[in-house]
Amino acid sequence: MLTISNYVKAKTPEEAYELNQARSSRVMGGMMWMRLGNARVKTVIDLSELGLDQIEESDNVIKIGAMCTLRQLEECEALKEMYGDGIAESVRHIVGVQFRNQATVGGSIYGRFGFSDVLTAFLALDTFVELYDGGTIRLSEFVNRKPDKDILLSLIVRKSKRKFRYESIRQTKTDFPVIACSVVTGMVHGKETWYFCVGARPMKAALLEKQWEIPKDVSEEMLAEYARQAASEFTYGTNMRGSAEYRRHLAEVLIRREMSSILAEGR
Ligand SMILES: Cc1cc2nc3c(=O)[nH]c(=O)nc-3n(C[C@H](O)[C@H](O)[C@H](O)COP(=O)(O)OP(=O)(O)OC[C@H]3O[C@@H](n4cnc5c(N)ncnc54)[C@H](O)[C@@H]3O)c2cc1C
């Protein structure tokens, strides 16, 4: 059971950060995950008055406040325009609309959950996290940091001409994914670059970068070979949802499908 003694609605990010330095304090996002745990929390810190519930688009970035919900991600036109249906697809299977109206981007990213679809999607893009104390750092760096007492303010996606695909496999609708994969491609420093991100391995999402110049008329066999190589560079584990070998196989299949879909659309 979760027991909370005090509830504070922070007036400034500074107040939230200061309150959070106590060992028994906790920041709350949508509380969808936290409320299932066992803990005695002295002070729970609500960030809902800090204006972090907006998605802002500028010429170079899309900035997603930590208190934005997964439903806002799903319905965001700016993300859709840049990356097609991929972002919506990454959250579409998470429980249901009512749940996604409450679970937040901040809680999803801060939690660095192994099963996270949200992390698997954004890690493959050119994404940064804005922390109150730690400044703005790459999501790929944040994901491997141990959880600390900082406050996640926003997720910042740098706009670039990249193609993005997302797929996951679930044993039953709305369950955690058995495997989740995103594939992104674009020109980086004049070179065709492919990013592969595999999550729910069941370890948390990891990223692989390849400078592969894949011809438009690549054969099915060659594409399968690229996918096999990418999938083989991740490590996988076994749990109640699937074995390591099954996950490696699924990752290979999803990566091939996603690459094929990008190539069919044209880069
Ligand atoms: C039944 C169930 C099924 C789920 N299925 C999936 C799934 O299939 N795929 C998927 O990707 N996710 C899934 N999730 C996870 C869900 O999408 C959210 O990621 C999760 O609920 C956390 O978001 P929240 O807003 O509820 O955070 P909370 O529960 O409020 O917080 C989670 C943690 O993050 C910390 N935190 C929150 N916001 C901040 C912040 N701004 N700065 C610093 N720390 C912060 C909290 O202190 C806490 O430690 C599932 C969750 C549940 C409960």
Side-chain angles (χ1 to χ4, degrees), residues 10 28 40 46 82 94 116 135 152 158 207 209 257:
M28 61 180 272
R40 277 181 183 277
D46 183 350
M82 282 310 295
I94 303 176
S116 181
L152 182 62
R158 226 164 29 194
L207 183 65
E209 179 180 337
R257 281 187 200 160

Coordinates of all heavy atoms in Angstrom, one line a residue, residues 10 28 40 46 82 94 116 135 152 158 207 209 257:
A10 N 3.5 22.2 -6.0 CA 4.6 23.1 -6.1 C 4.3 24.4 -6.9 O 3.6 24.3 -7.9 CB 5.8 22.4 -6.7
M28 N 5.0 13.4 -8.1 CA 4.0 12.6 -8.8 C 3.8 13.0 -10.2 O 3.8 14.2 -10.5 CB 2.7 12.7 -8.0 CG 2.1 14.0 -7.8 SD 0.5 14.0 -6.9 CE -0.7 13.7 -8.2
R40 N 6.0 4.4 2.0 CA 5.6 5.4 2.9 C 6.2 6.7 2.4 O 7.4 6.9 2.5 CB 6.1 5.2 4.3 CG 5.2 4.2 5.0 CD 5.7 4.0 6.5 NE 4.9 3.0 7.1 CZ 3.7 3.3 7.7 NH1 3.3 4.5 7.8 NH2 3.0 2.3 8.3
D46 N 3.3 17.6 -6.3 CA 2.4 17.7 -7.5 C 3.0 18.8 -8.4 O 3.2 20.0 -8.0 CB 1.0 18.0 -7.1 CG 0.0 18.1 -8.3 OD1 0.5 18.0 -9.4 OD2 -1.2 18.1 -8.0
M82 N 5.8 15.4 -38.3 CA 7.3 15.0 -38.4 C 7.5 13.5 -38.6 O 8.4 13.1 -39.4 CB 8.0 15.4 -37.1 CG 8.3 16.9 -37.0 SD 9.1 17.7 -38.3 CE 10.7 16.9 -38.4
I94 N -1.1 1.1 -24.9 CA -0.9 1.2 -23.4 C -2.3 1.3 -22.8 O -3.0 2.4 -22.8 CB 0.0 2.4 -23.0 CG1 1.4 2.2 -23.7 CG2 0.2 2.5 -21.5 CD1 2.3 3.3 -23.5
S116 N 9.0 -0.1 -21.4 CA 8.5 1.2 -21.9 C 8.5 1.3 -23.4 O 9.5 1.4 -24.1 CB 9.3 2.3 -21.3 OG 8.7 3.6 -21.7
G135 N 20.4 20.1 -16.1 CA 20.4 20.7 -17.4 C 19.8 19.9 -18.5 O 19.1 18.9 -18.2
L152 N 12.4 16.1 -13.8 CA 12.3 16.1 -15.3 C 11.3 17.1 -15.7 O 10.1 17.1 -15.3 CB 11.9 14.7 -15.7 CG 11.8 14.5 -17.2 CD1 13.1 14.6 -17.9 CD2 11.3 13.1 -17.5
R158 N 14.6 17.1 -31.3 CA 15.1 18.0 -32.3 C 14.5 17.6 -33.7 O 14.5 16.4 -34.0 CB 16.6 17.9 -32.4 CG 17.2 19.2 -32.5 CD 18.6 19.4 -32.2 NE 19.6 18.4 -32.5 CZ 20.8 18.4 -32.0 NH1 21.2 19.3 -31.3 NH2 21.6 17.4 -32.3
L207 N 19.9 1.5 -27.9 CA 20.0 2.1 -29.2 C 21.2 1.6 -30.0 O 22.3 1.5 -29.4 CB 20.1 3.6 -29.0 CG 20.1 4.5 -30.2 CD1 18.7 4.4 -31.0 CD2 20.3 6.0 -29.8
E209 N 23.3 2.4 -33.8 CA 23.4 3.3 -34.9 C 24.2 2.7 -36.0 O 25.3 2.1 -35.7 CB 24.0 4.6 -34.4 CG 24.2 5.6 -35.5 CD 24.9 6.9 -35.0 OE1 24.8 7.2 -33.7 OE2 25.5 7.6 -35.8
R257 N 10.5 -5.5 -41.1 CA 9.2 -4.9 -41.6 C 9.3 -3.4 -41.6 O 8.8 -2.7 -42.5 CB 8.1 -5.3 -40.6 CG 7.5 -6.7 -40.8 CD 6.3 -6.8 -39.9 NE 6.0 -8.2 -39.7 CZ 5.2 -8.6 -38.7 NH1 4.7 -7.8 -37.8 NH2 5.0 -9.9 -38.6

